[in-house]
Amino acid sequence: MSDLPKKEQLYELIRTNPFISQQDLAAQLGLSRSAVANYIATLVRERRILGRAYVLPNRRPIVCVGASNLDRKLRTLAKLAMATSNPARQDESFGGVARNIAENLARLGTPVALVTAVGNDASGRALLAHAEDAGIDTRAALRLDGHATGTYTAVLDHDGDMAVALADMAIHDEMTPAFLAARAQQRGAAALVVADLNLPQASIAALVEDAARDRVPLVLVAVSEPKMARLPRKLAGVRLLILNVGELAARVGRPLESEAEIAAACIEVQRDGVQDLVVTQGGAGVFYTGPGGLAHLTAPPAQVVDVTGAGDAFAAAVCWSLHSGDSGLALACRRGLQLATLTIGCAQTVHPQLAPGHLDGLLEELILD
């Protein structure tokens, strides 16, 4: 690289590390800070990089904002019996909605960054190291002394269906609007921002306002019926809201027992400003909004090994499709259903064999079938 002109050397350093500082660039190239700034200004004018984040136009990432934690799965060895002791097997892995989505995306070959909060403890350090090994940029993560990394404990029956889950996610309350404002550069450089509702209500509202102002598409992913209370009333700027029927019912404040009632609820939420909704139904498939109203896709048959992570895999595939520039939610949801089915069939929260090109391969198999 030493034979290249200084501007090209600088460009190669930025291409390798888009978040490199001007001071580091100056030190590595033997230049003054003002000379580095002039070269960067030239590259911006040439549209070879985009603004202060030094993001290359063809490598704008998906930024995932929200929960990461240690997952514990307890699976009974026989039919679950309530109010008594059950023999069980325990597995531990890394989880959290935003983290799971980020890992799926990274394994699919998508540039992805994770904005999350972990304790400055062994679990938090191991979680971030695992994410980095998977190809996730974790430099925007909040590392907190005196806080424990979040945990999520799921109890599964012997068939792999979830009986109950317990979550200690208090650390994510530290992801305040002020913290998110300090990470605005990373979010502003994104092709797409996806956030889960483990964030505080004020932080979710701030993300929605930023999306409307900066016109960076925002996908919100619901996590539970109680946390639907964190969803702001005004949703202008939200490209997509992914939630299940129970969470949609919690939003509109009434039971939804028919397709017509689900369609009416979607229209009601769209009046609040969200562009589109995807409403999941587990094994019954998904509803999604479009120009012609509400449409439905049936889920492919699945051999259930473990349902944990299936919803996050679905959301990741939908986001991957949007990031790829494919139009329409029909294709995105088909990809989501295929990846969710693949994930249900393995014991891990994120399928370990997932790789670039996997989603297109799954769709080819679906067409041939």
Side-chain angles (χ1 to χ4, degrees), residues 11 13 46 58 88 101 104 115 146 149 159 188 191 213 215-216 219 240 249 256-257 347 351 360 362 365:
Y11 176 77
L13 289 172
E46 293 173 352
N58 62 344
I101 293 172
N104 276 284
V115 180
T149 297
D159 292 324
R213 183 191 65 231
R215 298 189 178 183
V216 175
V219 176
L240 180 65
L256 303 174
E257 298 177 353
H351 199 288
D360 288 328
L362 286 171
E365 292 174 13

Side-chain angles (χ1 to χ4, degrees), residues 24 74-75 90 94 96 139 148 153 171 220 224 230 243 257 274-275 282 291 311 333-334 338 353:
D24 286 341
L74 294 165
R75 182 167 178 167
Q90 176 175 296
F94 298 116
R139 285 172 291 178
T153 303
I171 191 171
L220 293 179
S224 69
R230 300 185 176 192
L243 72 178
E257 298 177 353
V274 64
Q275 181 175 336
C333 288
R334 287 192 182 97
Q338 288 295 310
Q353 271 75 56

Side-chain angles (χ1 to χ4, degrees), residues 198-223:
N198 286 301
L199 298 170
Q201 184 179 34
S203 298
I204 298 167
L207 289 175
V208 173
E209 291 172 6
D210 289 351
R213 183 191 65 231
D214 300 334
R215 298 189 178 183
V216 175
L218 174 64
V219 176
L220 293 179
V221 181
V223 297

Side-chain angles (χ1 to χ4, degrees), residues 167-196:
D168 177 6
M169 312 291 280
I171 191 171
H172 300 108
D173 291 339
E174 302 300 318
M175 297 177 68
T176 62
F179 163 72
L180 293 178
R183 302 308 195 261
Q185 179 173 317
Q186 288 90 335
R187 291 187 290 109
L192 178 73
V193 174
V194 52
D196 67 46

Side-chain angles (χ1 to χ4, degrees), residues 7 20 35 49 73 75 86 122 124 199 227 255 325 345:
K7 186 180 78 170
I20 191 171
I49 61 177
K73 301 175 190 176
R75 182 167 178 167
N86 290 263
L199 298 170
K227 288 187 178 178

